[in-house]
Amino acid sequence: MNILSNLSGINTRLRAKILVLAMVPLLLMFALIIGLVTVQSDSLSTNQADLIRTETLASKKQELLKYVELARASVSPIYNAATPHDENAKQAVIDVLNKLTYGEDGYFFAYTYDGTNLVLPYQPEMVGQNIWDVEDTHGFKLLQGLITAAQQGGGFVEYYWHKPSRKEPVKKLSYAIGLEKWGWMVGTGVYIDDIDTQVMSLHNKIDEIISKTFVGLGITLVITIGIMASLAATIHVNAQELADNKLQALNRQLIDSQEEERTRVARELHDGINQILVSVKYRLDSLKEAKNREEISEHLGLGQASLNEAVTELRRISKDLRPTLLDDLGLLPALEDLAKEVTTRSGMTVIFEHHLSVSHVSKAAEITLYRVAQEALHNAEKHSQAKAVDIILQEEEGEIVLTIADDGIGFEEHRLRVNAQSMGLKNMRERIENLDGHFVINSLSQQGTEVRAILPTK
């Protein structure tokens, strides 16, 4: 009895040691993953913020240049015909600038080179005042900066100024030009406080994603520890086989999670496309200031071109992430559409043939076969220099066989072995093997390449 008790105690301690030894690297791995996620998310947040800020500023600068050109064109007939001391002409230009407002907070301003205000539509009480030494809330002498930019042939200046719709000073980007004959600075500006709002929104979304990721990692860690504890309690001679099966199940789960994530991202891209169309708004705003049919036609053409580009890009990204045909109509229509799309885009002739019943194909197999075909066509388009590609999907003796063959330059034997280790081909192989299938590549130099994926039927 004592011997059995001692053996039981030894076995229990052995299981505990195995569990601890297995958990230590697991905990270290999760700590490393959390650290990497944190670092990468911070880097992503910073890079995205810089990208948004840069693109938005560039868009607003282009917008300002158009407005300034509009003002210049409006006053040029008066200014060019006037003398340096033509008071009537000066007043006419002032009247024109006072009327040139746009949007909710857009207007033009004018000052003499010594700092006296001539035009300020939203603050008429300042007309006639000299604000040469006025500073914004950050101590910047904004008028001196604007006049200097105008005297140098025109330029952009950032400062803080009262926003009419908010009744408070916010960051503003202005562009100033000079009317040298009269010693005037004329300019306009746009408020760029919305850039910080967009950046803050981006940070919040990334923080939310990080929080969800950490929660998911925590749940995964708890589940994994539970599984490991169960395995340690029931360890036996088939432990290696059990671990291999478990690893294969986790790999399947990982692939399923990736597909779910692709679907979610595609949906979010579709729902959030309005963010892409912000640039279209800036182009269409100029329609309010159009003077004739030609200008209206030009602005509408630019806006329509941008919209078409956004729609095309959205469809391309969404289809790459998760083709709706695969979910709505199934594998065969999705592959047919993929073949037509690659034919149109690349110039290769892609022919799709099939001889099977889709009822024998599981949902997981449909997704896997589509991704394999997608990756194989991408490789053919990018590397093979092929003129034609055949896609054949058929059922042979209880197996589903997908064959993609091209007439491209192929690979020599040693290059085929090296290329088989590439990420794309490796992913295809792992997808097929995770469904208990087989993946084969055959290729010879100047004789094309054949990719074959074999899966068991449902």
Side-chain angles (χ1 to χ4, degrees), residues 70 101-104 283-291 299:
L70 175 63
T101 59
Y102 53 91
E104 184 179 9
R283 292 183 177 179
L284 297 181
D285 279 345
S286 58
L287 283 171
K288 299 177 182 178
E289 306 299 334
K291 300 297 184 181
H299 294 317

Side-chain angles (χ1 to χ4, degrees), residues 45-118:
S45 177
T46 301
N47 291 339
Q48 289 293 325
D50 291 341
L51 178 62
I52 289 176
R53 186 175 287 106
T54 299
E55 291 184 347
T56 307
L57 276 176
S59 175
K60 289 185 179 292
K61 286 181 178 181
Q62 290 297 320
E63 180 184 359
L64 281 179
L65 289 174
K66 291 180 180 179
Y67 289 147
V68 171
E69 287 303 315
L70 175 63
R72 192 198 301 270
S74 299
V75 303
S76 288
I78 303 173
Y79 176 74
N80 292 337
T83 63
H85 303 290
D86 189 338
E87 297 301 325
N88 291 331
K90 292 180 180 180
Q91 185 59 48
V93 169
I94 289 174
D95 293 341
V96 170
L97 293 176
N98 271 313
K99 295 178 182 178
L100 287 178
T101 59
Y102 53 91
E104 184 179 9
D105 299 300
Y107 61 90
F108 288 87
F109 51 79
Y111 291 82
T112 63
Y113 279 172
D114 64 1
T116 300
N117 180 261
L118 299 171

Side-chain angles (χ1 to χ4, degrees), residues 4-31:
L4 292 175
S5 178
N6 289 338
L7 288 175
S8 177
I10 292 172
N11 191 34
T12 301
R13 289 193 296 272
L14 179 60
R15 291 172 180 172
K17 289 180 180 179
I18 292 174
L19 180 61
V20 170
L21 289 175
M23 286 176 58
V24 168
L26 177 66
L27 293 173
L28 291 175
M29 179 189 71
F30 270 90

Side-chain angles (χ1 to χ4, degrees), residues 17 67 84 112 118 149 237 240 254 271 296 299 324 356 379 411:
K17 289 180 180 179
Y67 289 147
T112 63
L118 299 171
V237 293
Q240 185 62 47
L254 177 60
D271 293 341
I296 292 175
H299 294 317
T324 56
L356 87 164
N379 289 340
F411 302 98

Side-chain angles (χ1 to χ4, degrees), residues 167-184:
K167 307 299 182 182
E168 62 178 327
V170 298
K171 188 178 288 188
K172 186 174 185 179
L173 174 68
S174 291
Y175 188 82
I177 60 173
L179 301 181
E180 299 296 333
K181 183 166 55 179
W182 293 346
W184 287 12

